[in-house]
Amino acid sequence: MQVNLGKLGLVESVGILNQANFNKNLHIERGNLSMSKKAFKVASAAAVAASAFVAVNPAQAATAAEADVLVKKAESLGGTLKWAISVEGSWDGHSNPDMKLFNDTKAAHAKAVTAVSSLPAGSQKTALQTRLNDKVKLYVDRAVTVIDAVSAGKKIEGKKMALETQLDASKIDSATVKAYDDLSAEIRKQESLLSRVYGQTSRASIRDYYQKSAEAVKAEAKYPVSVLVELGRLDAAITAKNLTEATTRYTNISDWLPKVENATMKAELQAQFDAKKSAYEALKAPKIESVSAIDASTIEIKFNQAMEKGTGTNGAENIANYIINTTALSATDTAELSEDGKTVTLTLNTSADLTNDTAYTVTVDKDIKTVSGKVLGTVDHKTSLFFADHVKPTVQSVAAQANGDVKITFSEKVAAGTPSVVINGKTVAPSAVSGNTVTVTKANLTLSGANLENGKSYSVYVNGYNDLVPVSPNAMSLYVGSFTYNVVADVTAPSVSSLVAKDAKTLTLTFSEAISGANTDGTTNNATVLNLVVKKGSSVITTTATTTDGKTFTLNLDQTTNVLYDSTKNETSAVLNVTVKGYKDASLNIGTETSQNVTVTNDVTAPAFVKSEYDYANTNFVLTFSEGLKADAVKTALAAGITIVDSNGVLQTQITAAEIKNIATGDKTITIDNSNATGLDLPAGTYTFSFTKELIKDQALNGGIGNAAFSTTVTVPATAPGSDSGKPTVTSVTNGAKDVFTVLFSEAVKGGSVAGSATDAFNYRLNGAPLPAGTVITLDSLKTTATITLPAGSVSKSETQLFNVWNVQDLAGNVLDTTTKTVAVLDSVKPELLSAKVDADGALVLSFSENISNAVSTVDFVAADFEVKVNGADVTEALAAGVNSNELKITASDASFAAGTITVKVLDTAVGTDGNGNVVKTGTSVTATR
């Protein structure tokens, strides 16, 4: 045997040549050695040295030579690993590298690190550590990023395959959406791991293999998944009656659906989209959602979309567009449009207030337009409104104000009957009512002797205020309470918060708080209160300042005597200097004089023609423009600039000023009468209207900007659109079967998810209440009979009730007048077994929720209708005479029921009824104890 220690590393030599193995493997025989004495001596010496080394490792340090051997082996493996993790070497760019090589390199590195770390500090140790870091650890760490990236890629691949499976099967459903979302999330989650692979080429390879291929599949699914998701959002928006949201979703679907490449998916999504279009169109049509009375002088009208602001003919704030019963609103009543344009609040300032327990018809003019220019309808909208208010006004708070006044706030608007306010035991004089508040000024507190000290609590009594219900208003109950007189002296002067241009001739000036002495009626000029001066250069611009809250003022720049924009200099804007001074707050703190510049810009855009149409019902040509127009009551020049030719090019009768309806400031439409009342009477046919330039002007300064010349074609139909101008009526309403109503219309009416549908439960009321949830409404094949099926048991009492129908349209869009019919309704609630007891005679008495038909004679019941058990054992029972109208007596075969727990159950065979034929509720059980 020969042992070559030179070719073996030190660790390997030690591993083989421990003392025991050395003696075992040499096979020494007495007198017959298998190696030379010289070899034996060398081997023996090596073995002894090795044994000694093993005995001291790892407690004793390795030699530098030993450490160098280990470092060299690790370096050799690291060099091989370097090329095993690069596509420029042996790595395929997407699989794990040679894992045996990786593990061997990692193990060799660990052994070498252990050996080197045991060396004494010095340059040699540092050099070996540097070699390990630069030539071994570096590649082990890079290999780890490759292994992690492959693991991340396989996770992406799994999600990709799930989505591919859906796409390959042409499935577009919730599972496809989930697979798409899962893949998107996985790509985001694992992207950072893929990006850690060293080397641009290697990194690009693994990203191409996993991420880019997954993104390609994701891109294929992008549009079908997006369309499906938008279809769900469109449904939700339609259900919520959110037109803005629905339009966004509808537009997205319209844009994205053509980009779906899979024909099967595209056809399925198109079918779903088509099924929703009618509901969307119904939502898009302008309509009134509700009309309700807030109080006796306030009516709130809610629209399904934003309406046109202003008091022009088509404006929602024009009080002429509203009628209560047959009475038009007066000039001092107001119609205020909410900021979102969807709610109009009518305030009856001088018109008769609503009377308690009275039904009204609120009529809204059909010509009110949406901000997009659509009219509300073809006929005026009428809504039934029942006003009832029996709730007393209450005091909600009493609080001291910063200026020392005491404000009393009620739960609703009030009017003074015989007002009485007592504070700190002193009767004080309250100010006039302002909406739902009454104020006792600091001066009146002092005059009455109710001197209040800051920070102390005082009693307060309030009485004598009524709500606004006319004739018999609801009077408040005496209010008894207390409040703390917390008055903090206001020492902060008011200041200008903002100054901005509202339009070409209007500014908005806002202060930090309300200005004392300002009139808040919205029309009075407060320029003096503000010491207001507006200048353009050295020229003073006459300006009025109006406000409704004393804090924000509208500055109207007068153009009668001033010129803001000098046309000779082609000015389109002007810099104005606005100065205010001497203004005060409620505590008489004086604001600092403020001088600010603001730029106003003139309107230089001409009104653009939008569309033309023929109003058959009113025999009018209607032309719509892009903005509000300048008022024109004369119209002579306008008429002279319009020519009309028929489809054959024949010039028609010239329009006169009388045939053009007056144009109010802000109107966006021009209406031309074709009724022959003023001369023009064009028969059925198509006509071209031509307008010369600058006939129509907008509201811009210096006289307004005129239109460009244009032509438009309008068709006068031979018959009314839909060939029907008559309103449908309700012929009858009957309750022939329990919970089922039949409404007969005079003609075919609309059904389905459209405006004015006879199958919309919203369009019916039973005794003033909405139909219950779960109501089903169907139309017959002729669309003249609506069958309304309420949920079983909806009617609790047989009596005559009122049945209201409104808003239903015929096929031509004509809306029926609100109709009220009386109908005899039938009780549909089943009687129910409520309890059982044993009477003094030992008989079992059953009590029901209502009177039972023939209970006394027991005609409707037999003993077999009930299961009776005593302590769980069946009892043979018999019916005895009824006790009274809602009780039934049962006797036992032994003439009495034994002591214990008695259970009674109504069996499914029971046919007993109440007086209206409702069969008793079966399956119910009750228990009695004797």
Side-chain angles (χ1 to χ4, degrees):
M1 172 182 178
Q2 290 185 349
V3 180
N4 189 341
L5 297 179
K7 291 186 178 180
L8 288 175
L10 177 63
V11 176
E12 285 86 340
S13 300
V14 173
I16 294 173
L17 299 179
N18 60 63
Q19 187 67 51
N21 285 336
F22 179 83
N23 293 333
K24 177 180 179 181
N25 293 322
L26 282 181
H27 304 290
I28 302 174
E29 297 180 11
R30 184 182 302 273
N32 185 20
L33 296 178
S34 58
M35 60 175 68
S36 68
K37 292 182 178 180
K38 183 178 181 180
F40 179 79
K41 289 179 180 180
V42 172
S44 297
V48 171
S51 176
F53 181 78
V54 170
V56 299
N57 273 344
Q60 294 184 1
T63 67
E66 294 164 352
D68 186 66
V69 169
L70 292 176
V71 170
K72 284 180 178 178
K73 180 176 182 181
E75 284 178 328
S76 175
L77 291 170
T80 305
L81 182 62
K82 171 184 177 180
W83 295 106
I85 57 175
S86 171
V87 293
E88 295 169 350
S90 61
W91 185 47
D92 64 6
H94 61 82
S95 302
N96 277 328
D98 183 339
M99 294 303 292
K100 182 178 185 307
L101 174 62
F102 169 72
N103 289 326
D104 288 348
T105 305
K106 190 168 61 169
H109 175 260
K111 290 178 181 178
V113 168
T114 300
V116 172
S117 64
S118 68
L119 296 176
S123 59
Q124 191 172 19
K125 179 177 182 178
T126 302
L128 291 175
Q129 288 175 329
T130 301
R131 285 165 58 189
L132 284 173
N133 285 332
D134 294 349
K135 296 182 179 181
V136 186
K137 183 178 185 300
L138 175 65
Y139 303 118
V140 170
D141 291 344
R142 287 178 181 176
V144 170
T145 65
V146 171
I147 295 167
D148 289 345
V150 171
S151 176
K154 291 185 180 299
K155 291 177 181 179
I156 293 175
E157 192 168 39
K159 302 297 184 182
K160 181 188 75 173
M161 291 177 64
L163 181 57
E164 280 182 323
T165 300
Q166 292 293 108
L167 296 178
D168 290 344
S170 296
K171 289 183 178 179
I172 181 64
D173 52 21
S174 59
T176 312
V177 175
K178 184 178 186 304
Y180 179 89
D181 291 342
D182 288 349
L183 177 57
S184 300
E186 200 66 45
I187 291 174
R188 289 193 301 271
K189 180 179 178 181
Q190 307 299 344
E191 183 178 14
S192 62
L193 290 176
L194 297 177
S195 299
R196 292 178 187 171
V197 172
Y198 177 78
Q200 182 177 354
T201 307
S202 296
R203 185 165 56 251
S205 178
I206 196 167
R207 291 186 65 165
D208 286 351
Y209 189 87
Y210 290 113
Q211 184 174 339
K212 285 194 175 180
S213 64
E215 287 175 340
V217 175
K218 181 182 166 187
E220 183 182 347
K222 173 183 176 181
Y223 285 111
V225 166
S226 297
V227 170
L228 184 64
V229 171
E230 289 298 272
L231 285 168
R233 292 170 176 170
L234 176 60
D235 260 343
I238 291 173
T239 300
K241 298 183 178 180
N242 187 334
L243 178 61
T244 302
E245 178 73 6
T247 299
T248 298
R249 303 308 170 190
Y250 190 94
T251 301
N252 287 344
I253 296 169
S254 300
D255 290 344
W256 298 341
L257 193 53
K259 298 177 182 178
V260 176
E261 296 179 354
N262 185 298
T264 302
M265 289 182 174
K266 187 174 185 178
E268 181 178 342
L269 292 169
Q270 184 68 58
Q272 293 185 40
F273 188 33
D274 290 343
K276 302 180 193 306
K277 286 183 177 179
S278 59
Y280 171 69
E281 290 300 325
L283 178 67
K284 191 169 66 171
K287 64 181 180 180
I288 293 176
E289 297 281 6
S290 65
V291 177
S292 56
I294 305 303
D295 53 47
S297 64
T298 310
I299 296 174
E300 188 175 78
I301 303 171
K302 290 186 177 294
F303 297 86
N304 71 325
Q305 53 187 285
M307 307 305 288
E308 184 176 302
K309 191 172 179 63
T311 58
T313 302
N314 308 113
E317 294 178 311
N318 184 350
I319 59 171
N321 288 329
Y322 306 95
I323 297 173
I324 299 177
N325 285 343
T326 58
T327 304
L329 300 188
S330 67
T332 54
D333 296 331
T334 60
E336 182 179 356
L337 188 63
S338 62
E339 186 175 345
D340 65 3
K342 294 184 179 181
T343 303
V344 169
T345 301
L346 300 179
T347 302
L348 311 179
N349 292 313
T350 54
S351 296
D353 289 338
L354 304 180
T355 304
N356 227 345
D357 301 321
T358 303
Y360 293 89
T361 298
V362 178
T363 302
V364 182
D365 196 285
K366 62 182 176 57
D367 292 326
I368 294 179
K369 290 186 176 180
T370 65
V371 291
S372 60
K374 289 187 177 181
V375 294
L376 183 59
T378 56
V379 295
D380 293 343
H381 187 284
K382 297 179 183 293
T383 301
S384 293
L385 172 67
F386 187 81
F387 177 70
D389 181 0
H390 298 286
V391 178
K392 296 180 178 182
T394 59
V395 173
Q396 293 198 319
S397 66
V398 178
Q401 306 301 294
N403 62 357
D405 295 347
V406 174
K407 180 184 286 187
I408 304 167
T409 303
F410 291 86
S411 58
E412 59 182 302
K413 293 179 183 178
V414 292
T418 307
S420 175
V421 178
V422 179
I423 296 178
N424 195 25
K426 303 290 185 180
T427 300
V428 298
S431 64
V433 173
S434 176
N436 67 331
T437 63
V438 172
T439 300
V440 181
T441 65
K442 183 177 181 180
N444 284 346
L445 287 168
T446 303
L447 289 173
S448 67
N451 297 312
L452 308 183
E453 295 181 36
N454 196 24
K456 291 188 176 181
S457 181
Y458 296 97
S459 63
V460 58
Y461 298 80
V462 183
N463 202 6
Y465 288 92
N466 306 325
D467 63 14
L468 299 184
V469 175
V471 185
S472 299
N474 298 299
M476 70 172 292
S477 298
L478 173 65
Y479 171 79
V480 179
S482 62
F483 71 100
T484 301
Y485 193 65
N486 282 328
V487 178
V488 179
D490 178 11
V491 296
T492 304
S495 60
V496 173
S497 298
S498 67
L499 174 66
V500 295
K502 182 178 180 182
D503 54 42
K505 57 182 179 181
T506 311
L507 309 177
T508 300
L509 174 64
T510 304
F511 292 90
S512 59
E513 57 183 307
I515 302 304
S516 176
N519 190 301
T520 58
D521 64 2
T523 59
T524 301
N525 183 12
N526 292 287
T528 303
V529 175
L530 304 177
N531 288 303
L532 174 69
V533 177
V534 179
K535 288 184 177 182
K536 178 189 176 186
S538 59
S539 300
V540 176
I541 305 297
T542 304
T543 306
T544 59
T546 60
T547 183
T548 57
D549 61 4
K551 183 177 179 181
T552 300
F553 293 80
T554 299
L555 307 186
N556 301 289
L557 308 171
D558 178 33
Q559 290 304 290
T560 305
T561 57
N562 304 123
V563 176
L564 271 183
Y565 311 101
D566 191 339
S567 58
T568 63
K569 298 179 181 178
N570 295 319
E571 288 184 346
T572 59
S573 64
V575 177
L576 305 178
N577 178 265
V578 179
T579 301
V580 290
K581 62 180 180 179
Y583 51 93
K584 303 174 183 178
D585 62 15
S587 299
L588 303 183
N589 297 303
I590 301 176
T592 304
E593 178 176 340
T594 301
S595 183
Q596 294 185 18
N597 287 343
V598 61
T599 300
V600 288
T601 303
N602 196 16
D603 177 6
V604 295
T605 304
F609 170 72
V610 176
K611 65 177 179 177
S612 61
E613 53 194 336
Y614 188 71
D615 180 357
Y616 188 93
N618 297 299
T619 62
N620 292 326
F621 295 98
V622 181
L623 298 99
T624 303
F625 294 85
S626 60
E627 59 179 306
L629 305 177
K630 180 182 178 182
D632 188 354
V634 181
K635 308 179 295 297
T636 303
L638 173 57
I642 303 174
T643 57
I644 307 173
V645 297
D646 64 15
S647 57
N648 297 313
V650 177
L651 184 65
Q652 303 297 299
T653 304
Q654 181 65 42
I655 293 177
T656 66
E659 289 161 333
I660 304 175
K661 295 188 177 180
N662 285 351
I663 302 172
T665 298
D667 281 352
K668 291 185 179 181
T669 58
I670 292 177
T671 303
I672 301 172
D673 188 1
N674 190 42
S675 66
N676 196 29
T678 53
L680 191 65
D681 187 16
L682 298 178
T686 300
Y687 301 89
T688 299
F689 286 66
S690 297
F691 289 67
T692 59
K693 67 178 182 178
E694 297 188 348
L695 287 179
I696 304 137
K697 294 187 177 182
D698 62 16
Q699 301 175 77
L701 300 180
N702 302 329
I705 302 173
N707 65 285
F710 69 93
S711 296
T712 181
T713 299
V714 191
T715 298
V716 178
T719 59
S723 300
D724 179 8
S725 60
K727 297 179 180 180
T729 59
V730 176
T731 304
S732 64
V733 179
T734 56
N735 180 207
K738 290 171 184 174
D739 296 317
V740 179
F741 294 82
T742 302
V743 181
L744 179 62
F745 295 96
S746 61
E747 58 179 304
V749 292
K750 292 181 179 179
S753 299
V754 297
S757 171
T759 59
D760 186 348
F762 173 79
N763 296 328
Y764 304 93
R765 292 288 187 276
L766 181 58
N767 236 27
L771 301 186
T775 296
V776 177
I777 306 176
T778 59
L779 279 176
D780 67 345
S781 59
L782 298 177
K783 296 185 177 180
T784 57
T785 304
T787 301
I788 302 173
T789 305
L790 309 182
S794 293
V795 180
S796 60
K797 186 178 181 181
S798 295
E799 61 182 359
T800 298
Q801 294 188 1
L802 298 179
F803 196 94
N804 308 105
V805 186
W806 66 76
N807 204 41
V808 174
Q809 300 179 13
D810 63 17
L811 302 183
N814 301 303
V815 184
L816 61 74
D817 291 331
T818 299
T819 303
T820 300
K821 297 282 188 180
T822 57
V823 57
V825 298
L826 302 173
D827 168 22
S828 61
V829 178
K830 293 183 176 183
E832 184 176 353
L833 177 62
L834 297 181
S835 63
K837 64 180 180 180
V838 178
D839 65 9
D841 299 327
L844 189 64
V845 178
L846 308 183
S847 295
F848 293 85
S849 59
E850 57 180 303
N851 295 344
I852 304 298
S853 177
N854 300 318
V856 175
S857 61
T858 70
V859 171
D860 287 345
F861 287 100
V862 294
D865 290 342
F866 303 96
E867 174 189 80
V868 181
K869 292 185 177 182
V870 178
N871 296 326
D874 287 329
V875 174
T876 302
E877 71 277 6
L879 292 183
V883 178
N884 53 46
S885 57
N886 73 325
E887 292 185 333
L888 189 68
K889 182 178 291 189
I890 295 179
T891 58
S893 58
D894 62 354
S896 67
F897 287 93
T901 299
I902 305 170
T903 303
V904 184
K905 180 179 180 181
V906 183
L907 300 177
D908 292 342
T909 57
V911 295
T913 64
D914 62 13
N916 295 301
N918 296 303
V919 177
V920 68
K921 184 177 181 180
T922 60
T924 56
S925 299
V926 295
T927 301
T929 303
R930 185 180 184 190

